[in-house]
Amino acid sequence: VVITSDRGLAGGFNANLLRFARNEARRLIGEGKDVKIVTVGRKARDLLKRDFSQNIIENFVGLGGKKRLNFADARQVSDIVMREFNAEQFDVCTLIYNQFVSVMVQKPSAQQLIPFKIPAPAVANENAKEKTDPKTLTSPYSFEPSEEEILEKLLPKNLSIQIFRALLDSSAGEHAARMTAMDAATRNAGDMIKRLSLEYNRARQAHITKELIEIISGAEAV
């Protein structure tokens, strides 16, 4: 699932992410795996279509262009993912998006959504080498109804929440990147106006000086 913006004029916001996505797709294809792509954003759809037109199974346009993102937008994407997963069309789902780090930095990131990765437990002793086996972990809680029923409801919602968070990160990064790009463009335009004004004034003064010289030379010749 690749998330970009619908519009350009945002510096390297989309280009960097799409380069990252292409490299990831080519790596998987090189390993002999089948790659299916769901694009979110006009830029992802248009630019990935050039190299991976046969791999794109669904695209969404207009989600990032709204004044305010809604959770229902993320549900549209997660429903496609769950539909394909339930049909056993893939075994690993990775979300590729721009992580918002700061106004100046948006980092292309890949997050595995399916299967869910259990984060490594923090250890108090840095020198400890023992690793906890996820299969041996036990929950200190009891569940009602059963754990399976709860997970059946929660996991699709968690998937939608992860996609919604990525959409929000991407939207914030897009606005920050566009603001930075437009600020740089405004400064560059101002510098160019100053430079062209200086060249124009120099050319005008040279032309006036040339005319004065011609008038004076003509008067002396008479």
Side-chain angles (χ1 to χ4, degrees), residues 125-163:
N125 185 3
E126 295 181 357
N127 297 324
K129 296 182 179 180
E130 296 183 358
K131 296 183 178 179
T132 303
D133 185 0
K135 295 181 180 179
T136 63
L137 294 176
T138 57
S139 173
Y141 304 100
S142 58
F143 296 91
E144 179 66 32
S146 66
E147 297 178 27
E148 290 76 11
E149 292 182 52
I150 294 175
L151 287 177
E152 186 178 352
K153 297 294 184 181
L154 287 184
L155 288 180
K157 289 185 178 180
N158 177 67
L159 181 67
S160 300
I161 290 171
Q162 297 300 323
I163 293 176

Side-chain angles (χ1 to χ4, degrees), residues 170-185:
S170 181
S171 179
E174 177 191 354
H175 291 308
R178 181 169 291 110
M179 181 183 68
T180 303
M182 292 299 99
D183 182 61

Side-chain angles (χ1 to χ4, degrees), residues 47-123:
L47 298 179
L48 289 179
K49 188 184 295 184
R50 301 175 184 175
D51 301 322
F52 305 102
S53 59
Q54 301 299 323
N55 304 88
I56 297 176
I57 61 172
E58 191 67 54
N59 60 80
F60 295 89
V61 176
L63 299 186
K66 297 181 179 180
K67 292 184 178 180
R68 184 175 181 179
L69 283 167
N70 298 315
F71 186 71
D73 300 326
R75 285 292 300 271
Q76 295 181 47
V77 182
S78 65
D79 286 347
I80 294 295
V81 175
M82 290 303 301
R83 184 194 70 188
E84 294 293 312
F85 180 69
N86 292 331
E88 299 183 352
Q89 296 298 311
F90 69 88
D91 54 357
V92 176
C93 176
T94 303
L95 182 65
I96 297 178
Y97 67 102
N98 272 308
Q99 181 183 2
F100 180 81
V101 179
S102 68
V103 174
M104 300 296 295
V105 180
Q106 296 83 42
K107 180 182 177 183
S109 303
Q111 177 185 352
Q112 182 172 308
L113 297 179
I114 299 175
F116 177 71
K117 277 189 174 182
I118 299 177
V123 292

